Amino acid sequence: MSGDIFLTALPNSAAGSFLHRFANPGRFLRLSRWLLPLLTVVALVALAVGIVWGLWFAPADWQQGDSVRIMYIHVPMAILASSGYLALAVCGVLSLVWRHPLADLAAVEIGPVGAVVTAMCLATGSLWGKPMWGTWWVWDARLTSVLVLFFLYLGHIALIHAFDEPQRGYRAAAVLAIAGAVDLPIIKYSVNWWNTLHQPDSISLTSAPTMSTSMLAPLFICMIGFSAGFGALVVARVDAAILEGRARQLMTRRLPDQERAA
Amino acid sequence: MITTTRTGGRRGMTRKTRRLWLVLACVGCLGVATALVLNAFSSNIVFFMAPSQLRDHPPAGDRTVRLGGMVVAGSLARTTEGTTPVNAFEVTDGQAAIPVRFAGILPDLFREGQSVVALGTMQKDGIFRASEVLAKHDETYMPKEVAEALRKSGKWDPRFGKPPSAAEWDTMTRTEARKITAQGSGAPASNGSNGS
Amino acid sequence: MTHLPYIAASYGLVLGSVLILSLQAVLRLRSARRRLAMLETTRQRRTAS
């Protein structure tokens, strides 16, 4: 079953050859040589500006008081938790359909970062909920569906490392990532479809934000900063994974050499 | 999945497109299945019932339910029995209002005009006895100064629910808001509600 | 500042975990680079000899 994986990986269609151009690990390393510093600098600058702005210069809310400042980290964490899982699902499709080797590496490295981000989304939400709602946790549709997302991340991490033969782990985790993606629209629309304790989104594409511009600006900068940081972390981890893979290859190639020399 | 594509595909391209269609079909089926399940359980997924829903479909016997709605302006009465505070207020969704009794400390955000969710049982006398009251925040994020300006200029009384449309205030700066507040307080007939 | 403990805990948790993840990535990248360089020099030495 797994014997012909490397044969089927040969690019044949136009889409395949386009995708496989980016599947080349050497090309990715060359890309990350300028992408990684760029993302890191953007993340550091935007986070410094956004967090200082959010904590000291943005106004307090008329009824939440200063606890509104938790939003500047909670909302980026929530958006990244969902988009991180979307990235896992895209990697899953690339892996299952095009046998894209870099997609498998990316899926291994996105998983843990996404899980941490989702945990932070839940934790900051809880820390806001206690003083505002009067409870750490409720089982409403929004909170529960995000908790499900957290467990999907954990399942993905466990599954991708579960097999001795890595290819089988990649395949199984890709199926989980794609199947789990049904949770994403549920998270997004839970606050509109059912009545929940969690408030509906303040920012939407169709109408004006129900948020003062003085709060929207630092939130926007924090979102840029955390997204760039997420990207930088993933790129750095994929870089490391490629280099580790090469080292492993060199080691296994060296063994027959040593045997021949002996 | 792999075996069918391997025996069926003559060229790599058809094999790949076949795999793509297979994945898309699986996602489609899963999506439809999830939608059906969620639709079937939709009454269990809702976190609370509105007062009119509770009036039209009263829960059987002593079943504990969650009641959600806006606290009616002027309905809150705070008393104490011994050391525990006892609160009586009404919750409305615009169509029906249900009186609620709650012995305990209300959350910080609780006020008239605020949305709340109360956990408790409907009693025979028509009063909802709550064992827990949570404040439900809405999607509005507004600086203190802007809220004060809207109140002083008579555009919004928070005791009667949601603020005016965001386009009216979301670009108002704090200095502008303070100016409006200063003008409003100078006017002779301003309703100076200081309950914040 | 109202609700200071909650705000401090949220920012502390998030910035702490960001710091740990970044540190881990930097260390991992550095050790991978060093290991690969070491392996490549030993291979070159062997092919040269």
Side-chain angles (χ1 to χ4, degrees):
Chain A
M1 183 175 151
S2 57
D4 63 339
I5 280 164
F6 294 101
L7 293 175
T8 52
L10 288 174
N12 285 317
S13 65
S17 71
F18 171 76
L19 288 169
H20 273 267
R21 199 151 3 126
F22 297 99
N24 183 336
R27 211 178 280 267
F28 184 86
L29 286 181
R30 239 171 297 145
L31 178 78
S32 73
R33 206 173 294 162
W34 60 266
L35 189 61
L36 184 55
L38 179 74
L39 284 173
T40 311
V41 169
V42 169
L44 288 177
V45 171
L47 280 180
V49 172
I51 286 175
V52 169
W53 191 343
L55 277 180
W56 282 283
F57 296 102
D61 184 75
W62 77 282
Q63 42 174 351
Q64 299 172 55
D66 284 304
S67 71
V68 70
R69 302 181 198 285
I70 295 176
M71 170 191 70
Y72 301 123
I73 51 175
H74 174 71
V75 172
M77 287 299 131
I79 289 175
L80 283 172
S82 282
S83 32
Y85 200 84
L86 187 66
L88 272 190
V90 169
C91 285
V93 173
L94 288 175
S95 167
L96 283 184
V97 177
W98 284 283
R99 302 277 190 261
H100 198 302
L102 202 60
D104 293 328
L105 279 187
V108 174
E109 301 306 334
I110 290 171
V113 184
V116 170
V117 163
T118 313
M120 286 304 120
C121 170
L122 290 168
T124 53
S126 205
L127 284 164
W128 181 87
K130 185 60 191 167
M132 293 298 106
W133 290 336
T135 180
W136 296 105
W137 181 265
V138 289
W139 293 100
D140 82 344
R142 172 56 80 79
L143 276 66
T144 309
S145 56
V146 175
L147 186 67
V148 168
L149 183 74
F150 178 62
F151 286 118
L152 282 171
Y153 269 117
L154 292 188
H156 188 273
I157 296 168
L159 201 56
I160 212 161
H161 297 293
F163 297 91
D164 289 332
E165 191 191 336
Q167 292 294 334
R168 294 182 67 179
Y170 296 153
R171 222 42 54 76
V175 171
L176 177 70
I178 294 168
V182 293
D183 194 31
L184 297 180
I186 297 176
I187 291 173
K188 172 85 176 78
Y189 295 107
S190 54
V191 287
N192 307 84
W193 288 343
W194 306 289
N195 45 31
T196 53
L197 187 62
H198 194 286
Q199 58 267 35
D201 298 339
S202 302
I203 309 160
S204 73
L205 292 173
T206 47
S207 52
T210 55
M211 183 186 289
S212 167
T213 318
S214 53
M215 299 173 177
L216 202 59
L219 174 61
F220 187 64
I221 292 173
C222 280
M223 270 195 234
I224 294 175
F226 279 113
S227 307
F230 189 95
L233 277 176
V234 170
V235 169
R237 291 171 71 107
V238 171
D239 267 5
I242 291 172
L243 297 179
E244 284 160 4
R246 277 193 185 171
R248 222 173 299 127
Q249 242 173 6
L250 279 180
M251 288 289 285
T252 48
R253 213 180 290 163
R254 220 174 64 178
L255 280 174
D257 286 2
Q258 284 170 336
E259 278 163 15
R260 219 176 297 143
Chain B
M1 186 176 102
I2 290 162
T3 44
T4 54
T5 52
R6 190 163 41 172
T7 51
R10 286 188 310 277
R11 297 189 302 131
M13 197 185 118
T14 51
R15 195 184 283 177
K16 247 167 234 163
T17 38
R18 196 168 292 188
R19 280 203 299 252
L20 181 61
W21 281 112
L22 212 61
V23 167
L24 286 177
C26 289
V27 169
C29 290
L30 201 67
V32 170
T34 317
L36 288 174
V37 168
L38 289 179
N39 198 33
F41 289 100
S42 130
S43 61
N44 294 333
I45 296 169
V46 293
F47 187 63
F48 56 82
M49 295 167 83
S52 60
Q53 282 175 305
L54 204 63
R55 181 194 58 193
D56 298 342
H57 310 281
D62 275 355
R63 237 190 84 191
T64 306
V65 290
R66 284 197 179 85
L67 168 69
M70 202 183 86
V71 180
V72 177
S75 71
L76 177 63
R78 294 174 194 260
T79 50
T80 45
E81 272 174 20
T83 51
T84 49
V86 176
N87 310 282
F89 53 91
E90 278 178 37
V91 169
T92 181
D93 62 345
Q95 295 165 46
I98 288 181
V100 179
R101 237 178 90 90
F102 171 64
I105 298 160
L106 291 166
D108 289 0
L109 242 57
F110 188 95
R111 59 177 176 80
E112 291 176 356
Q114 174 71 279
S115 292
V116 294
V117 176
L119 175 77
T121 50
M122 199 70 205
Q123 288 180 312
K124 286 199 181 69
D125 55 1
I127 294 176
F128 189 87
R129 185 178 284 275
S131 57
E132 182 188 38
V133 173
L134 303 176
K136 177 170 161 40
H137 189 258
D138 60 18
E139 66 272 34
T140 312
Y141 291 80
M142 192 190 281
K144 232 179 257 167
E145 294 83 351
V146 174
E148 193 63 25
L150 287 177
R151 199 157 29 191
K152 281 282 158 64
S153 59
K155 282 183 181 148
W156 178 40
D157 187 341
R159 292 178 307 144
F160 294 101
K162 287 200 167 188
S165 106
E168 264 184 59
W169 51 265
D170 65 357
T171 54
M172 191 192 288
T173 61
R174 275 185 283 174
T175 28
E176 281 169 13
R178 278 194 204 101
K179 216 175 285 171
I180 293 170
T181 311
Q183 284 168 359
S185 60
S190 67
N191 54 332
S193 55
N194 293 323
S196 55
Chain C
M1 217 181 241
T2 61
H3 310 107
L4 188 61
Y6 298 99
I7 301 170
S10 312
Y11 277 79
L13 267 178
V14 169
L15 294 183
S17 60
V18 165
L19 205 70
I20 289 172
L21 280 177
S22 331
L23 217 64
Q24 187 204 7
V26 166
L27 291 179
R28 201 179 140 192
L29 204 53
R30 191 191 287 173
S31 76
R33 282 207 184 110
R34 201 175 289 164
R35 196 169 133 82
L36 195 64
M38 196 189 72
L39 282 169
E40 257 159 11
T41 48
T42 52
R43 192 181 58 162
Q44 275 165 6
R45 209 176 300 148
R46 190 173 303 118
T47 47
S49 63

